[in-house]
C-alpha cells in the first residue's frame, strides 16, 4: 500500500484555502516542538457561522493535507460544529494517515481550537 492515500496527495499538491485573512475574526497558531512544524488558521465568522477560513502551514505533507482538509470540513459550518472537529475526523476524511503522522492532524484540530478561542475572547471584549 502507498504510504499516503490519494486524498492526502491531492490536498498536499493542491491545498485548498491557502493564505491569510487580513481582517480575520479569529486567528490561531500552533506548533509541534518535536518536528518544528507550524500551522496558522484564520477564521472569518458572521452569524456564528464560519464564512471563510484560510491557513498557512510550514510543515510536512501530512500537515499541509490536514490543514487543507480541516478548512474544507469547517467552511460554511456553524461555530458550534467547527468546535467539535477532531483530528480523527480530519484523518478519516483524508482516507487515513500513517500512525506516526497522526500528530500532523492534531495540529489542524488545535489550530482551529485556538482560532475559535481567539474569536470568543475578541467577541467578549467587544460585548463589554
Ligand atoms: Fe510534524 Fe507533520 S511531521 S506536523
Amino acid at each position: 500500500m502507498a504510504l499516503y492515500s490519494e486524498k492526502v496527495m491531492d490536498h498536499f499538491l493542491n491545498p485548498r484555502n491557502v493564505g491569510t485573512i487580513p481582517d480575520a475574526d479569529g486567528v490561531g497558531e500552533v506548533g509541534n516542538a518535536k518536528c518544528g512544524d507550524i500551522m496558522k488558521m484564520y477564521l472569518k465568522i458572521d452569524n456564528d457561522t464560519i464564512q471563510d477560513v484560510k491557513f498557512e502551514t510550514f510543515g510536512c505533507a501530512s500537515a499541509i493535507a490536514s490543514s487543507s482538509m480541516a478548512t474544507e470540513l469547517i467552511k460554511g459550518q456553524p461555530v458550534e460544529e467547527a468546535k467539535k472537529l477532531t483530528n480523527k475526523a480530519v484523518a478519516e476524511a483524508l482516507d487515513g494517515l500513517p500512525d506516526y503522522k497522526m500528530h500532523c492532524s492534531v495540529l489542524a484540530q488545535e489550530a482551529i481550537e485556538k482560532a475559535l478561542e481567539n474569536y470568543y475572547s475578541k467577541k467578549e471584549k467587544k460585548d463589554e
Side-chain angles (χ1 to χ4, degrees), residues 28-101:
E29 183 175 329
V30 290
N32 181 298
K34 274 194 188 154
C35 64
D37 291 357
I38 295 170
M39 195 180 287
K40 199 165 178 179
M41 287 276 174
Y42 300 82
L43 302 175
K44 192 79 201 144
I45 298 172
D46 193 26
N47 251 336
D48 283 327
T49 301
I50 315 266
Q51 306 291 349
D52 199 10
V53 47
K54 296 256 191 267
F55 77 90
E56 290 177 306
T57 293
F58 303 95
C60 70
S62 302
I64 291 167
S66 294
S67 346
S68 171
M69 181 55 88
T71 58
E72 288 282 274
L73 291 173
I74 64 165
K75 202 171 184 176
Q77 294 293 317
V79 175
E80 286 305 313
E81 284 305 309
K83 256 198 222 168
K84 293 186 214 152
L85 183 74
T86 63
N87 77 297
K88 272 195 179 166
V90 173
E92 269 166 29
L94 287 169
D95 290 338
L97 284 170
D99 280 353
Y100 72 101
K101 286 285 179 183

